[in-house]
Amino acid sequence: GASGGTLKLVLCALSSCAAPQQFPAAQIDAGQGMVVMTDKNSNAFFLSGSSWSKLGSVPLKHVSVGPPGIWGVDRQNEVYKFVATDFVPTRGLELKQVDAGGQGQIVGVTISDSIHCLNANRASSIKELMNWNTMSGLLIYYSCAPTGCWGVNSEEQIYFMVNFKSAISVEVGSDRNVFVVNRDGQTGISGQVPQGTGWKKIEMSVKIKHASYDLGYLWLVSETGFIVKCTK
């Protein structure tokens, strides 16, 4: 981790950032020392050593891992929680994206871009019916860390407490680093100050569609479905 200011990331190319592949990858998330992903066929996986292992039996389009465990959504926007050996459905709300990176809470957005939060007590409950809180505003993607939450709206604007620049997705690492992917498939990193001091563009040899960061590793998914792993 850094002590402050704007962080810099070692620039890397696909050939020099080899990662275990599970082609074609669609989305990836890292947290609590774990890495999970989905492929374009809605299969979920977790990284076990240097290879990917199947995660549950439920077809999912998006998965997230963090303090409240592993959560996901399927193509019908049903929300699932991983319990024991498989994903179990939760009732109460349909979401197109969820994030488990906060302080035990689960956040997500609906197909109409409304923003919702499930507090830590409810997220840890074994009850099937979940009572979500609705938040003000509209976002297409939402991600949290212990220090705060970030989101992207349909205008490709990034939000924390103030407005920054354009992006299509944003991910917050457990060490407070924030990464965004813009429409051109480029990735940037913010400083350790919760709302950031600026963005550093990370030059990549391929277009990126999804990014996630944890424990010093930046995990990326290219538009063609390859996984890239970079270190600071």
Side-chain angles (χ1 to χ4, degrees):
S3 58
T6 301
L7 302 183
K8 293 183 178 179
L9 191 73
V10 177
L11 304 185
C12 58
L14 183 62
S15 60
S16 62
C17 294
Q21 296 299 315
Q22 187 62 49
F23 188 82
Q27 171 261 338
I28 197 164
D29 193 62
Q32 298 291 101
M34 291 185 63
V35 184
V36 295
M37 63 157 286
T38 56
D39 66 13
K40 293 181 179 179
N41 299 315
S42 298
N43 296 303
F45 299 89
F46 70 96
L47 187 62
S48 177
S50 59
S51 63
W52 296 97
S53 298
K54 191 75 167 61
L55 180 61
S57 62
V58 179
L60 298 173
K61 67 176 180 179
H62 186 99
V63 288
S64 183
V65 61
I70 304 173
W71 290 66
V73 294
D74 66 13
R75 293 198 176 276
Q76 288 71 46
N77 301 310
E78 296 286 344
V79 180
Y80 289 81
K81 177 181 180 180
F82 193 82
V83 179
T85 60
D86 207 351
F87 287 97
V88 296
T90 66
R91 294 186 296 115
L93 192 65
E94 293 181 351
L95 298 171
K96 64 180 178 181
Q97 175 255 329
V98 293
D99 187 84
Q103 291 183 313
Q105 80 270 30
I106 300 293
V107 298
V109 293
T110 66
I111 58 172
S112 58
D113 298 343
S114 60
I115 313 163
H116 302 270
C117 177
L118 190 67
N119 67 37
N121 287 337
R122 291 171 180 170
S124 62
S125 171
I126 60 173
K127 294 181 180 179
E128 182 181 333
L129 180 62
M130 300 291 182
N131 187 12
W132 295 78
N133 296 318
T134 301
M135 305 167 65
S136 61
L138 297 172
L139 295 172
I140 62 171
Y141 203 99
Y142 196 38
S143 182
C144 286
T147 53
C149 297
W150 295 73
V152 178
N153 69 8
S154 61
E155 300 297 320
E156 302 179 5
Q157 297 168 319
I158 305 165
Y159 285 86
F160 181 74
M161 297 299 289
V162 293
N163 210 341
F164 284 95
K165 56 184 294 186
S166 68
I168 58 173
S169 71
V170 59
E171 283 287 341
V172 190
S174 56
D175 63 355
R176 307 177 186 181
N177 289 298
V178 184
F179 294 84
V180 298
V181 177
N182 68 15
R183 184 166 291 281
D184 296 324
Q186 300 167 339
T187 306
I189 180 174
S190 81
Q192 193 179 18
V193 177
Q195 72 274 21
T197 58
W199 294 96
K200 286 287 186 179
K201 181 181 176 183
I202 303 170
E203 299 290 346
M204 301 296 297
S205 62
V206 294
K207 284 189 174 182
I208 302 300
K209 68 176 180 180
H210 200 89
S212 188
Y213 179 85
D214 185 50
L215 300 179
Y217 292 101
L218 175 62
W219 295 86
L220 307 167
V221 175
S222 74
E223 284 192 345
T224 54
F226 285 98
I227 300 169
V228 186
K229 178 183 177 184
C230 299
T231 58
K232 292 170 62 176

